[in-house]
């Protein structure tokens, strides 16, 4: 089967047995925390979906998040289904990021592991330096970057602390950390906030080919 990778991953659903599709759909279906909270606190459920499904069918294709590609490969290998990957991911002109911080040995180990993958999630305890590791990875990747935080005030604070000509929109509470990543142009760094399932941001730093920080797929 042929797997197409661009800003998402898609392949022909008809090429897979129903059992394989069920496995993929099961992995990409999670309980909706908003629905669970409504039930827990005896609130009105209304039209809140009980589950969130991170797949859809479009013109005979099943479309899934790009970050799921390694799990997909594992599923297909488990069912002994041969596949080919057509990677059409866009790679942009390298951006002049420079990381000026110093990493501890465990952070360097994590960074080295990140750089061997195109997407994934870095999970570590609070205070272990996920953000600093992310900065170093952004500088190594040299690609446009999107940082997503879960609280709007953080996004606004980032912009307030970093007016032009040095807008470094990273969700740090310390300006000294903000200055660890220096760049000559602001167009490649963007900050945003999300009200979606963002409870894992405190323990996870997600990355992709363009090193976008977002909710883990």
């Amino acid at each position: 089967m042929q797997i197409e990778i661009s800003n998402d991953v898609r392949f022909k659903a008809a090429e897979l047995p129903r059992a394989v599709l069920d496995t993929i759909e099961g992995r990409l279906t999670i309980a909706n925390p908003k629905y669970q909270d409504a039930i827990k606190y005896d609130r009105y459920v209304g039209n809140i979906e009980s589950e969130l499904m991170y797949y859809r069918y479009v013109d005979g294709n099943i479309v899934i998040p790009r970050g799921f590609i390694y799990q997909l490969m594992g599923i297909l290998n488990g069912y002994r289904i041969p596949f080919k990957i057509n990677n059409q991911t866009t790679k942009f002109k390298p951006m002049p990021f420079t990381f000026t911080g110093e990493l501890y040995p465990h952070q360097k180990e994590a960074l080295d592991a990140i750089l061997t993958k195109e997407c994934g999630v870095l999970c570590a305890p609070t205070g272990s330096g996920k953000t600093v590791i992310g900065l170093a990875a952004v500088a190594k990747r040299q690609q446009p970057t999107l940082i997503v935080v879960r609280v709007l005030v953080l996004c606004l604070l980032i912009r307030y602390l970093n007016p032009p000509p040095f807008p470094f929109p990273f969700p740090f509470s310390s300006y000294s950390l903000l200055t660890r990543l220096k760049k000559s142009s602001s167009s490649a760094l963007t900050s945003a906030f999300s009200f979606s399932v963002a409870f894992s941001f405190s323990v996870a730093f997600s990355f992709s080919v363009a090193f976008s920080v977002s909710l883990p797929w």
Side-chain angles (χ1 to χ4, degrees), residues 61-77:
N61 292 303
I62 180 169
V63 182
I64 63 176
R66 193 173 65 189
F68 191 74
I69 183 64
Y70 291 110
Q71 289 196 54
L72 174 64
M73 292 166 61
I75 292 171
L76 296 177
N77 286 330

Side-chain angles (χ1 to χ4, degrees), residues 30-199:
I30 66 172
N32 186 349
K34 187 175 181 180
Y35 178 86
Q36 292 180 321
D37 284 345
I39 296 297
K40 179 179 179 180
Y41 297 106
D42 197 25
R43 296 172 181 162
Y44 176 63
V45 175
N47 294 323
I48 302 175
E49 297 289 342
S50 61
E51 295 180 324
L52 300 175
M53 294 176 288
Y54 291 97
Y55 66 89
R56 65 185 190 278
Y57 286 88
V58 179
D59 299 328
N61 292 303
I62 180 169
V63 182
I64 63 176
R66 193 173 65 189
F68 191 74
I69 183 64
Y70 291 110
Q71 289 196 54
L72 174 64
M73 292 166 61
I75 292 171
L76 296 177
N77 286 330
Y79 280 94
R80 298 188 178 183
I81 296 175
F83 59 87
K84 293 182 179 180
I85 294 179
N86 180 19
N87 192 345
Q88 312 226 351
T89 302
T90 300
K91 185 152 188 168
F92 297 94
K93 178 182 177 181
M95 304 303 299
F97 293 117
T98 302
F99 179 72
T100 60
E102 294 185 9
L103 300 178
Y104 290 107
H106 72 276
Q107 294 172 329
K108 179 65 165 59
E109 182 180 355
L111 175 64
D112 291 341
I114 286 174
L115 296 176
T116 66
K117 304 290 185 179
E118 291 189 349
C119 59
V121 179
L122 169 63
C123 293
T126 301
S128 59
K130 296 181 294 296
T131 305
V132 175
I133 297 168
L135 271 179
V138 168
K140 288 284 188 181
R141 291 289 174 122
Q142 301 278 291
Q143 288 289 290
T145 303
L146 170 66
I147 304 295
V148 180
V149 296
R150 62 172 297 187
V151 182
L152 175 58
V153 67
L154 286 178
C155 193
L156 298 176
L157 180 61
I158 290 162
R159 296 186 181 280
Y160 173 77
L161 290 175
N162 299 278
F166 299 109
F168 307 131
F170 284 92
F172 302 149
S173 58
S174 170
Y175 187 80
S176 63
L177 284 178
L178 287 168
T179 60
R180 289 188 181 183
L181 184 67
K182 297 181 178 180
K183 194 179 93 41
S184 61
S185 170
S186 64
S187 60
L189 293 177
T190 306
S191 61
F193 76 99
S194 173
F195 286 118
S196 61
V197 189
F199 53 84

